[in-house]
Amino acid sequence: MSSTNATFSSYSSEFILRTITLTFGLVIFFFGIIGNLLNIIFFISLGSYKDNTCSFYVLVRSIFDFFILLLGLGTRILSQHFQIDFTIRFSIWCKIRVPLIYINTLNSYACLCFESIDTYLVTCLSLSMREKSNIRLGRYLILFSICFWTIEEIPYVIFQERQLNINRNEYECLTKNPIYSQYRIYFIYLFSTTIIPILVLIGCHCLTFRNLRIRTKERRILSLNIFTRQMIKMTIANCLSVFIFQGPFAISQCYFLSITITDSKQLYIQQFFNIHGYGVYALRKEMNRTEQRVNFFVF
């Protein structure tokens, strides 16, 4: 009797975890796709991306976020909950799925950092510093970022392969180089998409706050106080989105990729954090309007 109860309890907990993961994933996917599409349509129809650097970064980031959700979260939901896993059916998809996701992911974070730097530049007292915020430089930075992160992801295609698990009698997509696995865990998951963006955001926005305070004292313009408050909200929102969503994902990746998962509960917990990490790309960032106002403001 106790064995039956234990089995039922285990099944119930797994069912609950699976339901939560599926529901949470579908909510993030639906609102993320719609939100990013609205952002793309808004900035294209506005037309400011053609001559405003910050608008350009926001538009490009929304495009990257859209593909992250489509290629990453969309295929994860299909594989985990509908048993449609293309990575174990096609060796080519096993090799290119993660690189495609992380080329977009790393470029999305690059855009986020570029936005913060650009916001600092347009609030600088020096004319030469403000002139560094220009659309031509922005396009070169995005092009460089795309090329750099594309090259960075090439080793994954080389080291990843589809292998047959004899115990389960099914194929798995695994990395055959343990050193490269450690590199991805700590450099990509932990530093490139978590620690570095947070440090850049905090550093650039602190410098921006300083510029706004100086201009407030010099010109005594009330609107600058409004910009300061909005900048604080924007900084908190950006940092919290990375900290709340990407932070737990990076930590869970470091943990689960360093151990052998033997319990189904652990597997569903890992799946939950994998989906949870996509929340940062699904948020409709209201601070975009603030960035627009700061960039269009003529000092």
Side-chain angles (χ1 to χ4, degrees):
M1 184 68 178
S2 60
S3 176
T4 304
N5 291 335
T7 303
F8 178 77
S9 176
S10 176
Y11 174 79
S12 299
S13 61
E14 289 178 13
F15 176 77
I16 292 172
L17 283 170
R18 183 170 183 143
T19 303
I20 291 174
T21 304
L22 175 60
T23 305
F24 189 47
L26 288 174
V27 169
I28 291 178
F29 182 78
F30 176 77
F31 285 103
I33 290 293
I34 298 299
N36 283 299
L37 277 176
L38 290 176
N39 265 354
I40 293 168
I41 293 171
F42 171 76
F43 282 102
I44 290 178
S45 61
L46 189 65
S48 59
Y49 71 93
K50 297 178 181 178
D51 51 15
N52 183 268
T53 314
C54 192
S55 297
F56 176 68
Y57 290 143
V58 174
L59 172 61
V60 174
R61 178 157 59 96
S62 296
I63 295 173
F64 286 135
D65 290 351
F66 175 82
F67 283 108
I68 292 168
L69 291 169
L70 191 65
L71 297 172
L73 183 56
T75 56
R76 185 173 291 279
I77 292 173
L78 287 176
S79 64
Q80 292 180 354
H81 301 284
F82 300 101
Q83 286 71 53
I84 304 175
D85 192 348
F86 297 109
T87 58
I88 61 176
R89 294 184 183 182
F90 307 103
S91 58
I92 185 63
W93 185 245
C94 166
K95 289 179 173 291
I96 68 172
R97 176 183 177 269
V98 171
L100 287 176
I101 293 170
Y102 270 88
I103 287 171
N104 285 280
T105 298
L106 294 164
N107 279 296
S108 176
Y109 278 104
C111 288
L112 184 62
C113 293
F114 294 156
E115 288 173 43
S116 301
I117 296 171
D118 187 74
T119 304
Y120 159 68
L121 291 175
V122 298
T123 59
C124 284
L125 301 176
S126 170
L127 177 61
S128 61
M129 291 294 289
R130 293 201 299 273
E131 288 178 344
K132 294 182 186 298
S133 172
N134 62 81
I135 191 65
R136 183 179 181 182
L137 178 60
R139 289 170 180 166
Y140 282 136
L141 286 174
I142 294 297
L143 181 61
F144 171 79
S145 178
I146 292 173
C147 293
F148 178 83
W149 292 118
T150 299
I151 295 172
E152 188 278 332
E153 287 296 303
I154 289 177
Y156 189 94
V157 179
I158 299 173
F159 294 130
Q160 196 77 357
E161 64 180 14
R162 193 168 59 114
Q163 299 178 356
L164 178 63
N165 188 320
I166 301 176
N167 297 326
R168 296 182 180 179
N169 194 28
E170 63 181 20
Y171 283 98
E172 294 180 346
C173 195
L174 302 172
T175 303
K176 59 185 179 181
N177 190 309
I179 297 176
Y180 184 72
S181 295
Q182 295 296 314
Y183 160 80
R184 290 198 68 84
I185 290 172
Y186 295 105
F187 179 73
I188 300 297
Y189 299 141
L190 192 59
F191 287 98
S192 297
T193 60
T194 306
I195 295 175
I196 294 176
I198 289 178
L199 291 177
V200 172
L201 289 172
I202 293 175
C204 289
H205 287 309
C206 283
L207 293 173
T208 304
F209 298 154
R210 184 197 64 180
N211 291 343
L212 292 174
R213 283 199 299 268
I214 293 173
R215 290 189 173 276
T216 302
K217 292 178 182 178
E218 287 185 353
R219 298 189 179 185
R220 299 179 181 179
I221 299 176
L222 182 61
S223 59
L224 288 177
N225 290 326
I226 298 174
F227 283 128
T228 302
R229 290 195 296 270
Q230 291 175 330
M231 286 299 301
I232 293 172
K233 293 179 182 179
M234 184 175 69
T235 302
I236 293 173
N238 274 322
C239 291
L240 283 180
S241 66
V242 176
F243 182 78
I244 292 174
F245 291 104
Q246 185 62 27
F249 168 75
I251 294 172
S252 68
Q253 287 289 85
C254 292
Y255 174 74
F256 286 112
L257 292 177
S258 62
I259 66 169
T260 301
I261 299 176
T262 56
D263 189 352
S264 58
K265 291 182 181 179
Q266 289 181 327
L267 179 62
Y268 285 120
I269 291 172
Q270 182 194 32
Q271 291 175 357
F272 172 79
F273 280 111
N274 286 342
I275 290 176
H276 179 271
Y278 286 100
V280 70
Y281 313 109
L283 289 177
R284 284 204 62 201
K285 302 163 183 65
E286 294 300 325
M287 71 283 295
N288 289 344
R289 294 194 182 96
T290 302
E291 292 172 70
Q292 287 291 295
R293 294 177 66 184
V294 171
N295 273 267
F296 280 123
F297 188 80
V298 178
F299 291 104

